[in-house]
Amino acid sequence: MRIFKEILLVLLIVFIAIQFIQPARNTNGRVLPTDISNTVYVPENVQQILKTSCYDCHSNNTNYPWYNYMQPAAWILANHIKHGKKDLNFSDFGSYSMRKQQSKLKAIADQIKDGEMPLSSYTLIHRNARLSKEQKKLIIDWTQNARDSLDKINP
């Protein structure tokens, strides 16, 4: 029994100690000139959906939940954000080549159609990020219109 209490005490000390190791926060509070909304036309209703369901992991401005201050949850979130931004960063969209922009817009539509995004692990906690059929259609239609507008700019 004594060894069990010592192990619990060590685990408690480690848990408390890791609370002081916080990852960098993903917030700059600005809309950059390279933001997707400054690159292609994004209707307000689509922009709102993107902000609610996508921007936390796919932009430079994450709206952090309360549990971000608890380790190891903050590390897991930081890892999700890092990988999300690596795949697609709406804040840097304008810096992508025209071909990459086209590809990313197609990937957005494909992943929405296939139900891959937003991640189920994200929508489990963030219920407002779940997409209705109407919202999915709005995003898919918008991506096609955005791709068409990019084609007109750079045929």
Side-chain angles (χ1 to χ4, degrees):
M1 187 70 161
R2 179 185 149 117
I3 190 86
F4 180 71
K5 287 182 180 180
E6 288 177 3
I7 290 172
L8 279 179
L9 180 61
V10 168
L11 288 176
L12 179 63
I13 291 169
V14 168
F15 179 75
I16 291 170
I18 66 173
Q19 301 310 308
F20 295 100
I21 306 169
Q22 295 288 322
R25 296 181 64 78
N26 182 49
T27 53
N28 72 8
R30 299 184 342 228
V31 175
L32 300 174
T34 54
D35 190 84
I36 193 166
S37 62
N38 294 325
T39 306
V40 296
Y41 173 69
V42 184
E44 185 58 38
N45 57 346
V46 172
Q47 183 70 24
Q48 191 57 48
I49 295 168
L50 294 177
K51 285 183 178 180
T52 301
S53 300
C54 311
Y55 266 50
D56 281 348
C57 293
H58 293 285
S59 79
N60 294 339
N61 290 300
T62 299
N63 183 18
Y64 286 97
W66 64 268
Y67 56 84
N68 181 64
Y69 296 101
M70 297 292 293
Q71 300 305 348
W75 296 335
I76 294 167
L77 279 173
N79 190 46
H80 277 270
I81 293 166
K82 176 183 172 187
H83 289 289
K85 285 173 56 175
K86 181 179 170 219
D87 290 337
L88 169 65
N89 188 340
F90 287 115
S91 298
D92 294 338
F93 191 84
S95 67
Y96 297 164
S97 69
M98 191 66 64
R99 183 175 172 178
K100 187 172 182 178
Q101 288 177 13
Q102 290 276 6
S103 173
K104 293 299 179 184
L105 288 166
K106 182 178 182 329
I108 291 168
D110 290 345
Q111 290 186 349
I112 296 291
K113 282 180 197 172
D114 296 340
E116 295 175 15
M117 286 289 160
L119 294 175
S120 57
S121 60
Y122 182 75
T123 58
L124 181 67
I125 297 171
H126 302 90
R127 296 197 185 279
N128 62 334
R130 292 181 181 168
L131 299 175
S132 67
K133 287 182 183 180
E134 295 80 19
Q135 289 173 317
K136 288 179 180 182
K137 183 173 178 3
L138 272 172
I139 293 173
I140 292 166
D141 291 347
W142 164 73
T143 59
Q144 185 58 54
N145 291 336
R147 289 176 68 208
D148 291 346
S149 71
L150 289 174
D151 280 341
K152 290 176 185 173
I153 293 170
N154 196 2

